Amino acid sequence: MIQRAVALMLIQGLLLISCASIVHALESQKPSTQRLTTESNRPKISRSVSLMTTRVDFILFGTHPATANAAIDQAIAEFHRIEALMSEWQPGSEVSRINQQAGQHPVAISPELFRLLQAAQRVSILSHGAFDISFRSAGKLWDFRQATVPTQEHIQRATRHIDYQRLTLTPEQGHHAPTAFITHPKTSIGLGAIAKGYAIDRAAQIFRQAGFDAFAINAGGDLYVAGNAQDRLWNVGIQHPRAPERLLASLPSNNLAIATSGDYERFFIHDGQRFSHIINPHTGYPANGCQSVTIIATRAFWADALATAVFVLGPNEGMALVETLDGVEALVVDQSGAVTLSRGFEQSSGYQTTE
Ligand code: AMP
Ligand code: MG
């Protein structure tokens, strides 16, 4: 079963919101280019496109619709460029080339991918391997369409090949490009937990460079919001992972990235047990400590990766990690449905719990 529930919703111009008004706000986003005039007379230009197998909404406020549309075109092209560079499914991508050369040769890569791989390594170190882009050897045994549980033996064998330390990164030296080398032929990497966040950051940069200061990018519930939408901050509602009509919190946000990892995105149920797409690299089985983890940070790649890391770590260890990181807040829903907030989230003056 493949299900893509939107974990976060954008509600413009509303600080205190009711569920009904949010549903209305979502329904009014038609999947095509739109131009609406807001109360403040700043035209809103929005477009929804399928990118990286996710519905991505781009929303801009500005007085020049033509410039806004050109910026959205550029952001869409950027998503495609990043996918062609970083997808482990496209044989010609740099990531695929690293996988193809595993155990054989270092591969020259772009400084851009190098930096993102370094960031992924940092998250692996911080999370003691809960986040690991080499989850893939075990990850690919899990077929969410077939909905079958692999044998324990297969999982154990594959799990031995998960080890982020088998990825050696060598920085640029003189005229030589940076390289990435997987030191074992059975290890491979995938950036599914961080690349989308990175694409969101790049789109935000494109919008800023084009002169926009009020916009939102929502890639299937991972998002970035900037500026004042309609003379007020964007308000982001965090949905309950099991009851999307129920809001756990709403958060007025500015220049912030918010990413959610949940066990409802891609999963199947076998013998009453839920198996989802986020793999615990230490066991090879899907992590099961949380229903969902929402991370707030200044950059989307960081929020994206940390949401996955905290999801694997579980509510206690995960929240302990969040509390050590500056500028990072979290809302965790554990397996029983209990909600925990990081200290900063709880104390932030704008935070509204809706329970
Ligand atoms: P997200 O929805 O951001 O939590 O990312 C989930 C995706 O990240 C999965 O579909 C896999 O592609 C990948 N992934 C799964 N488990 C891990 C893990 N432990 N560390 C890093 N990436 C993972
Ligand atoms: Mg992630």
Side-chain angles (χ1 to χ4, degrees), residues 112-135:
E112 183 181 20
L113 177 61
F114 183 83
R115 284 193 296 273
L116 199 65
L117 291 174
Q118 273 188 319
Q121 301 279 51
R122 265 205 310 280
V123 182
S124 294
I125 293 167
L126 281 170
S127 66
H128 305 290
F131 180 92
D132 191 326
I133 55 172
S134 71
F135 76 96

Side-chain angles (χ1 to χ4, degrees), residues 49-52 75-85 90:
V49 215
S50 178
L51 296 166
M52 294 183 166
I76 291 169
E78 185 66 358
F79 264 78
H80 286 304
R81 188 189 67 81
I82 291 165
E83 192 175 23
L85 182 69
Q90 295 189 13

Side-chain angles (χ1 to χ4, degrees), residues 213-248:
D213 60 7
F215 55 84
I217 302 147
N218 181 7
D222 290 350
L223 53 95
Y224 188 90
V225 290
N228 291 347
Q230 290 170 312
D231 300 330
R232 278 180 242 179
L233 294 183
W234 292 93
N235 211 3
V236 177
I238 301 174
Q239 287 172 297
H240 192 285
R242 296 283 183 271
E245 70 289 350
R246 212 172 112 206
L247 273 196
L248 293 174

Side-chain angles (χ1 to χ4, degrees), residues 7 9 19 236-251 291-292 294 331-333 337-341 345 351-355:
M9 295 180 290
C19 286
V236 177
I238 301 174
Q239 287 172 297
H240 192 285
R242 296 283 183 271
E245 70 289 350
R246 212 172 112 206
L247 273 196
L248 293 174
S250 81
L251 185 78
Q291 292 180 3
S292 76
T294 299
L331 182 152
V332 176
V333 182
V339 179
T340 324
L341 302 171
F345 199 150
Y351 167 70
Q352 308 266 354
T353 180
T354 54
E355 285 205 296

Side-chain angles (χ1 to χ4, degrees), residues 238-290:
I238 301 174
Q239 287 172 297
H240 192 285
R242 296 283 183 271
E245 70 289 350
R246 212 172 112 206
L247 273 196
L248 293 174
S250 81
L251 185 78
S253 312
N254 190 9
N255 300 334
L256 281 182
I258 301 168
T260 297
S261 287
D263 67 2
Y264 50 83
E265 289 178 56
R266 205 147 26 100
F267 71 97
F268 64 88
I269 291 179
H270 181 84
D271 283 347
Q273 204 183 334
R274 180 185 284 253
F275 296 93
S276 86
H277 68 308
I278 300 173
I279 304 297
N280 180 340
H282 300 302
T283 64
Y285 283 83
N288 58 11
C290 304

